[in-house]
Amino acid sequence: RLRAEWPDHVRALEREGRIGREEARKYSSLMIVGMVGSIDNDLASTDMTIGACSALERICESVDAILSTATSHQRAFVVEVMGRHCGWLALNAAISTGADYLFIPEAPPKNGWEDAMCATLKASRDAGKRTSLVIVAEGAVDRQLRPIRANEVRDILATRLGYDTRVTILGHVQRGGAPAHFDRFLGTMQGAEAVEAILRATPSTPSLVIGMLENKITTQPLKEAIELTGQVAQAIESLNFDRAMGLRSASFAKQLTSYKEIANFNPDSKMKLPNEQRLRIAIVHAGAPAGGMNTATRSAVRLCINRGHTVLGVHNGFPGLMRGEISELDWLTVDGWTIAGGSRLGTNRDQPGLQMGAVAYQMQKHNVQALMVVGGFEAFTAVLELGRNRTQYPAFCIPMVLVPATVSNNVPGTEFSLGADTAANVIVRSTDMIKQSASSNRRRVF
């Protein structure tokens, strides 16, 4: 509206003599470029908004602390996070903390969700899990748009299952604190692009919003982005939940599907493959430890188990494989691996070429039918080496997959490696503290 009225305001200033004709001509049009700062990450047409990553980090830090007491007392916790019309924070918090159940506004649970939730959590407890964690977005509703509150979920768990259940509402804690590394990077890149967009603009250029799609900074019409964002709330209010999901980024639906499959123990999963299609899949860590190695392993193990595959954990890298240090991984073994740093399987930089025959022998002995390697550049070269020796060792003629995990982020073929963001956050936090110390003494240089 301001942009449409701008020429009238300029002409009025000229008539009043407050600006000259040349100034009126020079500033006859106004260009508007917006950057979205929202912890909810609720703007349609962009994958990430400034502030969302920092809020997610606050949530993960809080839930990690809660899980310590929850496990020791075998309690259930219901954690409410922000997100009135968008479940991005809740969904990503559930994935990042290994939550057992999730409620978000875009994908309300089916009728009878109370029974389904209790059955799911009970199955996990019966399998040996010591605690239960439920994440609730503040805007979560059921299929009739009746709000689902954290206190209601607590009462259901306490009454029906007899669980000692606590509620934590994080509130404005999610908005506070120093920005995470990614938000600093995103704000810097989008700020620069906003200036470039203004310099490129002509009087006919529509107002723009700076976004991010598939890790690339984008410029899109602001009006369309606002309209699409408003349509999400309208779709939810009209009970068109499929439409609401469709208006989110493509990654949002994929994340939700993946979460549902790996969150809960389901021995009778409908996703199980026929016996002849089930594989024995080995997972090995290689290279230096990196944040996310255990998380990736946990996700792979749980998905494989739900599909009917057998997962073998190789301990202590390729030397462990040479020695036959292999054991079967089950659902409960990897339960706490989401928030665990380092490498629970053990890792080192040694390459399989040291004893290629021993590697082939152990893989054949344990009937390894597929191999997943998690690690950095050493893992990359190890997979290449195994592939080059397929003609000599038939045991290597199987599917092999590399999951890049290195703080150096130097594995070819990917823009981001597991662990790089964690390392960057550590660097940013440490540098902030060093700068604070340095500012007290002008003679000190760090």
Side-chain angles (χ1 to χ4, degrees):
R1 182 177 176 181
L2 174 62
R3 190 179 184 191
E5 296 173 350
W6 183 261
D8 294 334
H9 293 314
V10 172
R11 284 192 290 270
L13 291 172
E14 185 182 5
R15 284 196 304 270
E16 295 170 4
R18 299 172 66 179
I19 61 174
R21 179 177 299 179
E22 181 60 26
E23 287 179 297
R25 184 193 64 79
K26 184 177 181 181
Y27 300 107
S28 60
S29 63
L30 174 69
M31 180 59 189
I32 296 177
V33 174
M35 294 185 294
V36 183
S38 167
I39 68 168
D40 290 344
N41 196 29
D42 54 356
L43 180 75
S45 75
T46 184
D47 289 338
M48 187 70 73
T49 57
I50 299 170
C53 188
S54 298
L56 180 59
E57 185 174 324
R58 298 292 100 75
I59 295 171
C60 291
E61 290 171 350
S62 301
V63 174
D64 287 353
I66 288 170
L67 287 176
S68 298
T69 184
T71 303
S72 61
H73 294 284
Q74 296 190 22
R75 284 177 175 155
F77 269 85
V78 183
V79 179
E80 181 183 294
V81 303
M82 288 186 173
R84 189 167 302 166
H85 298 296
C86 180
W88 185 90
L89 272 180
L91 173 57
N92 282 271
I95 293 172
S96 302
T97 60
D100 301 289
Y101 218 79
L102 169 69
F103 294 99
I104 59 175
E106 296 94 337
K110 296 179 180 178
N111 295 334
W113 61 266
E114 300 90 341
D115 295 332
M117 177 183 66
C118 289
T120 297
L121 298 188
K122 186 176 184 301
S124 295
R125 288 290 185 104
D126 290 345
K129 191 169 184 180
R130 292 174 55 84
T131 184
S132 302
L133 173 64
V134 179
I135 301 288
V136 182
E138 65 174 327
V141 293
D142 63 14
R143 292 272 166 178
Q144 287 72 46
L145 299 185
R146 187 180 69 85
I148 297 176
R149 303 298 186 193
N151 288 332
E152 178 187 7
V153 175
R154 175 201 59 195
D155 294 341
I156 292 171
L157 297 181
T159 302
R160 299 194 184 188
L161 297 177
Y163 292 169
D164 182 5
T165 309
R166 299 287 191 271
V167 170
T168 298
I169 299 176
L170 294 181
H172 288 273
V173 169
Q174 298 159 86
R175 296 189 185 278
H181 152 260
F182 189 80
D183 280 326
R184 302 183 193 204
F185 166 79
L186 185 62
T188 301
M189 299 301 292
Q190 288 192 348
E193 179 59 28
V195 174
E196 294 291 345
I198 290 174
L199 296 177
R200 291 194 303 265
T202 65
S204 62
T205 302
S207 298
L208 300 173
V209 62
I210 310 300
M212 181 179 185
L213 289 173
E214 298 180 349
N215 295 323
K216 294 179 175 60
I217 304 300
T218 62
T219 56
Q220 300 179 62
L222 176 62
K223 183 178 179 181
E224 293 180 10
I226 293 175
E227 289 176 349
L228 285 173
T229 303
Q231 289 177 23
V232 176
Q234 295 171 8
I236 293 174
E237 291 172 1
S238 62
L239 307 182
N240 191 349
F241 303 113
D242 290 338
R243 171 64 175 164
M245 285 293 295
L247 289 169
R248 295 294 179 212
S249 64
S251 61
F252 187 88
K254 293 179 181 178
Q255 289 171 345
L256 181 60
T257 299
S258 298
Y259 166 76
K260 288 180 177 179
E261 186 161 3
I262 65 177
N264 303 112
F265 181 66
N266 188 3
D268 301 318
S269 173
K270 296 180 181 178
M271 300 292 290
K272 287 190 183 296
L273 298 171
N275 288 331
E276 64 274 11
Q277 296 182 20
R278 299 179 185 180
L279 302 173
R280 289 173 61 83
I281 303 173
I283 301 179
V284 59
H285 293 176
M293 296 179 88
N294 298 315
T295 309
T297 303
R298 171 188 178 272
S299 298
V301 168
R302 290 195 161 187
L303 188 143
C304 287
I305 290 174
N306 274 344
R307 301 287 177 88
H309 303 300
T310 299
V311 188
L312 305 174
V314 179
H315 301 273
N316 303 314
F318 281 102
L321 178 56
M322 299 169 194
R323 297 188 294 264
E325 297 174 4
I326 299 173
S327 62
E328 185 173 338
L329 299 177
D330 58 27
W331 187 274
L332 196 60
T333 300
V334 298
D335 180 60
W337 288 21
T338 303
I339 62 175
S343 168
R344 286 292 180 89
L345 288 177
T347 184
N348 54 62
R349 300 178 185 273
D350 291 346
Q351 295 289 292
L354 296 174
Q355 295 186 44
M356 194 68 71
V359 173
Y361 168 76
Q362 293 294 346
M363 291 178 64
Q364 189 171 2
K365 177 183 176 181
H366 292 274
N367 192 25
V368 175
Q369 298 169 312
L371 182 66
M372 172 178 160
V373 184
V374 184
F377 195 77
E378 294 85 357
F380 175 78
T381 56
V383 172
L384 288 178
E385 193 172 9
L386 292 174
R388 285 195 294 264
N389 282 273
R390 278 175 164 162
T391 54
Q392 186 175 355
Y393 299 101
F396 300 158
C397 296
I398 58 174
M400 298 184 197
V401 175
L402 169 67
V403 178
T406 168
V407 301
S408 302
N409 197 29
N410 63 344
V411 177
T414 182
E415 293 181 354
F416 290 102
S417 299
L418 297 177
D421 187 64
T422 301
N425 276 315
V426 171
I427 295 170
V428 165
R429 286 195 295 266
S430 301
T431 304
D432 285 348
M433 290 185 284
I434 291 172
K435 287 169 64 178
Q436 188 176 36
S437 175
S439 64
S440 63
N441 190 328
R442 295 183 178 182
R443 295 183 179 182
R444 189 166 292 169
V445 178
F446 281 89

Coordinates of all heavy atoms in Angstrom, one line a residue, residues 54-103:
S54 N 17.9 -20.7 15.3 CA 18.3 -20.3 16.6 C 17.2 -20.8 17.6 O 17.6 -21.4 18.7 CB 18.5 -18.8 16.8 OG 19.5 -18.4 15.9
A55 N 16.0 -20.6 17.3 CA 14.9 -21.1 18.1 C 14.9 -22.6 18.3 O 14.7 -23.2 19.4 CB 13.5 -20.7 17.6
L56 N 15.2 -23.3 17.2 CA 15.3 -24.8 17.2 C 16.4 -25.2 18.1 O 16.3 -26.2 18.9 CB 15.5 -25.3 15.8 CG 15.6 -26.9 15.7 CD1 14.3 -27.5 16.2 CD2 15.8 -27.3 14.3
E57 N 17.5 -24.5 18.1 CA 18.7 -24.8 19.0 C 18.3 -24.6 20.4 O 18.6 -25.5 21.3 CB 19.9 -24.0 18.6 CG 21.1 -24.3 19.4 CD 22.3 -23.5 18.9 OE1 22.4 -23.3 17.7 OE2 23.2 -23.2 19.8
R58 N 17.5 -23.6 20.8 CA 17.1 -23.4 22.1 C 16.2 -24.5 22.6 O 16.3 -25.0 23.7 CB 16.2 -22.1 22.3 CG 16.9 -20.8 21.9 CD 17.9 -20.4 22.9 NE 19.3 -20.7 22.4 CZ 19.9 -20.0 21.4 NH1 19.3 -19.0 20.9 NH2 21.0 -20.3 21.0
I59 N 15.3 -25.0 21.7 CA 14.4 -26.1 22.0 C 15.2 -27.4 22.3 O 15.0 -28.1 23.3 CB 13.4 -26.3 20.9 CG1 12.5 -25.1 20.8 CG2 12.6 -27.6 21.2 CD1 11.6 -25.2 19.6
C60 N 16.2 -27.7 21.4 CA 16.9 -28.9 21.6 C 17.8 -28.9 22.8 O 17.9 -29.9 23.5 CB 17.9 -29.1 20.3 SG 17.0 -29.4 18.8
E61 N 18.4 -27.7 23.2 CA 19.1 -27.6 24.4 C 18.2 -27.9 25.6 O 18.6 -28.6 26.6 CB 19.8 -26.2 24.5 CG 20.9 -26.0 23.5 CD 21.3 -24.5 23.5 OE1 20.6 -23.7 24.1 OE2 22.4 -24.2 22.9
S62 N 17.0 -27.3 25.6 CA 16.1 -27.5 26.7 C 15.6 -28.9 26.8 O 15.6 -29.5 27.9 CB 14.9 -26.5 26.5 OG 15.3 -25.2 26.5
V63 N 15.3 -29.5 25.7 CA 14.8 -30.9 25.8 C 15.9 -31.9 26.1 O 15.6 -32.8 26.9 CB 14.1 -31.3 24.4 CG1 13.7 -32.8 24.4 CG2 12.9 -30.4 24.1
D64 N 17.1 -31.6 25.7 CA 18.2 -32.5 26.1 C 18.4 -32.5 27.6 O 18.6 -33.5 28.2 CB 19.5 -32.0 25.4 CG 19.6 -32.3 23.9 OD1 18.7 -33.0 23.4 OD2 20.5 -31.8 23.3
A65 N 18.2 -31.3 28.2 CA 18.3 -31.2 29.7 C 17.2 -31.9 30.3 O 17.3 -32.6 31.4 CB 18.4 -29.8 30.1
I66 N 16.0 -31.8 29.8 CA 14.8 -32.5 30.3 C 14.9 -34.0 30.3 O 14.6 -34.7 31.2 CB 13.5 -32.0 29.5 CG1 13.2 -30.6 29.9 CG2 12.3 -32.9 29.8 CD1 12.1 -30.0 29.0
L67 N 15.5 -34.5 29.2 CA 15.6 -35.9 29.0 C 16.5 -36.6 30.1 O 16.3 -37.7 30.4 CB 16.1 -36.3 27.6 CG 15.2 -36.1 26.5 CD1 15.8 -36.3 25.1 CD2 14.0 -37.0 26.6
S68 N 17.5 -35.8 30.6 CA 18.3 -36.4 31.6 C 17.5 -36.8 32.9 O 17.6 -37.9 33.4 CB 19.4 -35.3 32.0 OG 20.2 -35.0 30.9
T69 N 16.7 -35.8 33.3 CA 15.8 -36.2 34.5 C 14.7 -37.1 34.2 O 14.3 -38.0 35.0 CB 15.2 -34.9 35.1 OG1 14.5 -35.2 36.3 CG2 14.3 -34.2 34.2
A70 N 14.2 -37.0 32.9 CA 13.1 -38.0 32.5 C 13.6 -39.4 32.5 O 12.9 -40.3 33.0 CB 12.6 -37.6 31.1
T71 N 14.8 -39.6 32.1 CA 15.3 -41.0 32.0 C 15.6 -41.5 33.4 O 15.3 -42.7 33.7 CB 16.6 -41.0 31.2 OG1 16.3 -40.5 29.8 CG2 17.2 -42.5 31.1
S72 N 16.2 -40.7 34.3 CA 16.6 -41.2 35.6 C 15.3 -41.5 36.4 O 15.4 -42.4 37.3 CB 17.4 -40.1 36.3 OG 16.7 -38.9 36.4
H73 N 14.2 -40.8 36.2 CA 13.0 -41.1 37.0 C 11.9 -41.8 36.2 O 10.8 -42.0 36.7 CB 12.4 -39.7 37.4 CG 13.3 -39.0 38.4 ND1 13.4 -39.3 39.7 CD2 14.1 -37.9 38.3 CE1 14.2 -38.5 40.4 NE2 14.7 -37.6 39.5
Q74 N 12.3 -42.3 35.0 CA 11.3 -43.0 34.1 C 10.0 -42.2 34.0 O 8.9 -42.7 34.1 CB 11.0 -44.4 34.7 CG 12.3 -45.3 34.7 CD 12.0 -46.7 35.0 OE1 10.8 -47.2 34.9 NE2 12.9 -47.4 35.5
R75 N 10.2 -40.9 33.7 CA 9.0 -40.0 33.6 C 8.7 -39.8 32.1 O 9.5 -40.1 31.2 CB 9.3 -38.7 34.2 CG 9.2 -38.7 35.7 CD 9.5 -37.3 36.3 NE 9.3 -37.3 37.7 CZ 10.0 -36.5 38.6 NH1 10.8 -35.6 38.1 NH2 9.7 -36.5 39.8
A76 N 7.5 -39.3 31.9 CA 7.1 -38.9 30.6 C 7.0 -37.4 30.6 O 6.6 -36.8 31.6 CB 5.7 -39.4 30.2
F77 N 7.4 -36.7 29.5 CA 7.4 -35.3 29.4 C 6.6 -34.8 28.2 O 6.8 -35.4 27.1 CB 8.8 -34.7 29.4 CG 9.4 -34.4 30.7 CD1 10.0 -35.3 31.5 CD2 9.3 -33.1 31.3 CE1 10.5 -35.1 32.7 CE2 9.8 -32.8 32.5 CZ 10.4 -33.8 33.3
V78 N 5.8 -33.8 28.4 CA 5.1 -33.2 27.3 C 5.6 -31.8 27.1 O 5.5 -31.0 28.1 CB 3.6 -33.2 27.5 CG1 2.9 -32.6 26.3 CG2 3.0 -34.6 27.8
V79 N 6.2 -31.5 26.0 CA 6.9 -30.2 25.8 C 6.1 -29.4 24.7 O 5.9 -29.9 23.6 CB 8.3 -30.4 25.3 CG1 9.0 -29.0 25.1 CG2 9.1 -31.1 26.4
E80 N 5.7 -28.2 25.1 CA 5.0 -27.3 24.1 C 5.9 -26.3 23.5 O 6.7 -25.7 24.3 CB 3.8 -26.6 24.8 CG 3.0 -25.7 23.8 CD 1.9 -24.9 24.5 OE1 1.0 -25.6 24.9 OE2 2.0 -23.7 24.5
V81 N 6.0 -26.2 22.2 CA 6.8 -25.3 21.5 C 6.0 -24.3 20.7 O 4.8 -24.6 20.5 CB 7.8 -26.0 20.6 CG1 8.7 -27.0 21.4 CG2 7.2 -26.7 19.5
M82 N 6.6 -23.2 20.2 CA 5.8 -22.3 19.4 C 5.5 -22.8 18.0 O 6.1 -23.7 17.6 CB 6.6 -21.0 19.3 CG 6.6 -20.2 20.7 SD 7.4 -18.6 20.5 CE 7.1 -17.9 22.1
G83 N 4.5 -22.2 17.4 CA 4.0 -22.6 16.1 C 2.5 -22.6 16.0 O 1.9 -23.6 16.2
R84 N 1.9 -21.4 15.9 CA 0.5 -21.3 15.9 C -0.2 -21.9 14.7 O -1.2 -22.6 14.7 CB 0.1 -19.8 16.0 CG -1.4 -19.6 16.3 CD -1.6 -18.2 16.8 NE -0.9 -17.9 18.0 CZ -0.7 -16.6 18.4 NH1 -1.2 -15.6 17.8 NH2 0.0 -16.4 19.5
H85 N 0.4 -21.6 13.5 CA -0.1 -22.1 12.2 C 0.9 -23.0 11.5 O 0.6 -23.4 10.4 CB -0.6 -21.0 11.3 CG -1.7 -20.2 11.9 ND1 -3.0 -20.7 12.2 CD2 -1.8 -18.9 12.3 CE1 -3.8 -19.8 12.7 NE2 -3.1 -18.7 12.8
C86 N 2.1 -23.1 12.1 CA 3.1 -23.8 11.4 C 3.8 -24.8 12.4 O 4.2 -24.4 13.5 CB 4.2 -22.8 10.8 SG 5.5 -23.6 9.9
G87 N 4.0 -26.0 12.0 CA 4.6 -27.0 12.8 C 6.0 -27.3 12.6 O 6.6 -28.3 13.0
W88 N 6.7 -26.4 11.9 CA 8.1 -26.6 11.5 C 9.0 -26.8 12.8 O 9.8 -27.7 12.9 CB 8.7 -25.4 10.7 CG 10.1 -25.7 10.2 CD1 10.4 -26.3 9.0 CD2 11.3 -25.3 10.9 NE1 11.8 -26.3 8.9 CE2 12.3 -25.8 10.0 CE3 11.6 -24.7 12.1 CZ2 13.7 -25.6 10.4 CZ3 12.9 -24.5 12.4 CH2 13.9 -24.9 11.6
L89 N 8.8 -25.9 13.8 CA 9.6 -26.0 15.0 C 9.4 -27.3 15.7 O 10.3 -28.0 16.1 CB 9.3 -24.9 15.9 CG 10.1 -23.6 15.8 CD1 9.7 -22.5 16.8 CD2 11.6 -23.8 15.9
A90 N 8.1 -27.7 15.8 CA 7.7 -28.9 16.6 C 8.3 -30.1 15.8 O 8.8 -31.1 16.4 CB 6.2 -29.0 16.7
L91 N 8.1 -30.2 14.5 CA 8.5 -31.3 13.7 C 10.0 -31.5 13.8 O 10.5 -32.6 14.1 CB 8.1 -31.2 12.3 CG 8.6 -32.2 11.3 CD1 8.2 -33.6 11.7 CD2 8.1 -31.9 9.9
N92 N 10.8 -30.4 13.6 CA 12.2 -30.5 13.6 C 12.8 -30.8 15.0 O 13.8 -31.5 15.2 CB 12.9 -29.3 13.0 CG 12.8 -29.3 11.5 OD1 13.7 -29.8 10.8 ND2 11.7 -28.8 10.9
A93 N 12.1 -30.3 16.0 CA 12.5 -30.6 17.4 C 12.2 -32.0 17.7 O 13.0 -32.7 18.4 CB 11.7 -29.7 18.4
A94 N 11.1 -32.6 17.2 CA 10.8 -34.0 17.4 C 11.9 -34.9 16.8 O 12.3 -35.9 17.3 CB 9.4 -34.3 16.9
I95 N 12.3 -34.5 15.6 CA 13.3 -35.3 14.9 C 14.6 -35.2 15.6 O 15.3 -36.2 15.8 CB 13.4 -34.8 13.4 CG1 12.2 -35.1 12.6 CG2 14.6 -35.5 12.7 CD1 12.1 -34.5 11.2
S96 N 15.0 -34.0 16.0 CA 16.3 -33.7 16.6 C 16.5 -34.3 18.0 O 17.6 -34.5 18.4 CB 16.6 -32.2 16.6 OG 16.5 -31.7 15.3
T97 N 15.4 -34.5 18.7 CA 15.5 -34.9 20.1 C 15.0 -36.4 20.2 O 15.1 -36.9 21.3 CB 14.6 -34.1 21.0 OG1 13.2 -34.1 20.6 CG2 15.1 -32.6 21.0
G98 N 14.5 -37.0 19.2 CA 14.0 -38.4 19.3 C 12.7 -38.5 20.0 O 12.5 -39.5 20.7
A99 N 11.8 -37.5 19.8 CA 10.5 -37.6 20.5 C 9.7 -38.8 20.0 O 9.8 -39.2 18.9 CB 9.8 -36.3 20.2
D100 N 8.9 -39.2 21.0 CA 8.0 -40.4 20.7 C 6.7 -40.1 20.0 O 6.2 -40.9 19.3 CB 7.7 -41.2 22.0 CG 9.0 -41.6 22.7 OD1 9.6 -42.5 22.2 OD2 9.3 -41.0 23.8
Y101 N 6.2 -38.9 20.2 CA 5.0 -38.5 19.5 C 4.9 -37.0 19.3 O 5.7 -36.2 19.9 CB 3.8 -38.9 20.5 CG 2.6 -39.4 19.7 CD1 2.6 -40.7 19.3 CD2 1.5 -38.6 19.4 CE1 1.5 -41.2 18.6 CE2 0.4 -39.1 18.7 CZ 0.4 -40.4 18.3 OH -0.7 -40.9 17.6
L102 N 4.1 -36.6 18.3 CA 4.2 -35.2 17.8 C 2.8 -34.8 17.4 O 2.0 -35.5 16.8 CB 5.1 -35.2 16.6 CG 5.1 -33.9 15.7 CD1 5.7 -32.8 16.5 CD2 5.8 -34.1 14.4
F103 N 2.5 -33.5 17.7 CA 1.2 -32.9 17.3 C 1.5 -31.6 16.6 O 2.2 -30.7 17.2 CB 0.3 -32.6 18.5 CG -0.2 -33.9 19.2 CD1 0.4 -34.4 20.3 CD2 -1.3 -34.6 18.6 CE1 0.0 -35.5 21.0 CE2 -1.7 -35.8 19.3 CZ -1.1 -36.2 20.4

